[in-house]
Amino acid sequence: MLFRIVTIPFDEGRKCFIEDDFTHFVINKIIRNYQAHFFSTTNGTYWTIFIEYEVPAGLEPEMEGLSEAEKMLFDQLRAWRKEKAEQKGFPVYVICNNSQLKALVKQAPKTLEALKNIDGFGKKKLGDYGEEVVSLIKAFYEKPV
């Protein structure tokens, strides 16, 4: 069984909870159990949801062999890729295919020089996306546990 904790903030301007990340995450999962907690701090109002889930068999073969932390990074990179592709108006695989995403997760390049070692990251992709990819990976591993 896999799990994830999602925190959903309340947007005072729009007067609603911003559940986009939650929706994106659960869309292709089988939710087995969840616990939701509402809380407020001086910084805002939130829902935190602890989700126990499964991924349907065969849905994500690219995740095979990844640790739970690596799967989380893969999800973050995949979300970034989707956003970039939507901005540019072309398919996600043009930005980076699943094999390249998995290589990014496994090798975790934290410099542009290290990113050059990922198959498919030539001069053009390094120039277009290199800084963002390296920043995402560095930020992921710098988060406090």
Side-chain angles (χ1 to χ4, degrees):
M1 187 74 54
L2 303 169
F3 71 91
R4 178 106 174 226
I5 298 171
V6 178
T7 301
I8 304 172
F10 185 76
D11 184 327
E12 287 292 336
R14 296 189 329 190
K15 300 291 184 209
C16 66
F17 284 93
I18 309 300
E19 73 276 349
D20 297 344
D21 290 339
F22 172 74
T23 302
H24 175 74
F25 175 74
V26 299
I27 200 158
N28 60 353
K29 311 291 188 296
I30 299 170
I31 306 303
R32 295 296 182 200
N33 193 15
Y34 71 91
Q35 295 178 10
H37 297 282
F38 178 82
F39 68 96
S40 292
T41 69
T42 55
N43 296 327
T45 304
Y46 306 87
W47 277 101
T48 293
I49 306 169
F50 176 84
I51 306 164
E52 290 181 61
Y53 68 96
E54 291 179 21
V55 177
L59 186 62
E60 300 190 55
E62 67 271 4
M63 295 277 205
E64 287 180 27
L66 297 180
S67 70
E68 287 307 307
E70 289 171 333
K71 288 176 184 177
M72 290 172 59
L73 178 56
F74 190 95
D75 281 340
Q76 287 182 11
L77 289 169
R78 185 171 34 196
W80 165 83
R81 175 185 71 176
K82 182 177 185 243
E83 181 181 317
K84 284 291 158 201
E86 287 173 354
Q87 287 172 0
K88 302 245 181 199
F90 44 71
V92 294
Y93 61 81
V94 173
I95 305 285
C96 190
N97 65 38
N98 287 341
S99 297
Q100 292 165 333
L101 282 182
K102 190 169 184 177
L104 286 170
V105 168
K106 284 299 203 182
Q107 295 179 33
K110 295 182 183 80
T111 65
L112 287 176
E113 192 61 34
L115 186 56
K116 289 179 185 178
N117 295 324
I118 303 294
D119 207 18
F121 274 84
K123 194 173 192 176
K124 174 93 171 105
K125 277 192 185 177
L126 282 172
D128 290 347
Y129 312 115
E131 291 290 339
E132 285 182 75
V133 170
V134 168
S135 292
L136 282 166
I137 292 169
K138 284 168 66 173
F140 179 83
Y141 285 106
E142 289 174 2
K143 288 181 182 176
V145 177

